[in-house]
Amino acid sequence: MEDMLTVADVSGPFREPREPVLSYDFAIQRPSWPTCHAVRIKVSIPAELEPMKAKILGSVKASPGQHLLVNQILSRRIAEEKLRIVDREGMLAERREVLIEPFLGPLAHLFVQLEARLSAESSALRSEICARLGL
């Protein structure tokens, strides 16, 4: 693990124009790299966020502001997990800036890993969301 990835900074979510996605910008660093590199990770609202929200929380009665906070918490967790998955897949091994699209089409095989990981953490995620929202 001498070339372990660390996250120096994260910003987002940003609403991408003309796409139903939220994106996060990660600044990643490895000990062998002289500087950080950027990774933009897109989270599809209809194909990744909404199905995971339904699976983890089910039907939640909350205010619009609470729904916004739920979306921020879950989309950030999805983006962080997608970063781990693509790192394990070797997509972040080179020193270059990377754009990770939603796990659809050519990357659809990675959605299974994302879904399994978030399903395993669903009770902890549910507890965190309920505590932050006061539900």
Side-chain angles (χ1 to χ4, degrees):
M1 290 278 158
E2 82 180 37
D3 205 28
M4 191 164 153
L5 178 80
T6 57
V7 176
D9 192 27
V10 181
S11 57
F14 305 108
R15 186 75 161 92
E16 293 285 333
R18 296 175 296 282
E19 289 182 87
V21 300
L22 298 171
S23 64
Y24 288 85
D25 291 336
F26 288 80
I28 61 170
Q29 176 79 42
R30 292 193 191 276
S32 61
W33 296 352
T35 60
C36 292
H37 288 276
V39 176
R40 173 162 283 184
I41 297 183
K42 292 183 176 182
V43 176
S44 171
I45 295 169
E48 293 173 324
L49 178 61
E50 291 301 326
M52 297 307 330
K53 185 163 95 172
K55 183 175 256 187
I56 292 169
L57 295 174
S59 178
V60 175
K61 294 187 181 199
S63 71
Q66 288 174 320
H67 279 288
L68 180 63
L69 188 56
V70 167
N71 287 346
Q72 288 176 340
I73 293 168
L74 282 178
S75 64
R76 169 80 181 254
R77 187 64 64 94
I78 290 168
E80 290 170 347
E81 192 55 43
K82 287 175 79 168
L83 181 73
R84 288 185 199 98
I85 291 169
V86 296
D87 184 37
R88 284 193 303 266
E89 293 289 319
M91 296 170 71
L92 303 176
E94 297 177 23
R95 286 183 49 213
R96 61 184 172 94
E97 295 175 349
V98 179
L99 171 66
I100 304 299
E101 294 287 344
F103 286 173
L104 304 169
L107 297 176
H109 66 284
L110 298 176
F111 184 77
V112 175
Q113 294 178 38
L114 176 67
E115 187 176 34
R117 180 71 178 165
L118 291 176
S119 293
E121 296 179 4
S122 64
S123 62
L125 275 168
R126 192 177 311 109
S127 298
E128 176 187 343
I129 290 168
C130 290
R132 287 192 55 192
L133 295 179
L135 297 176

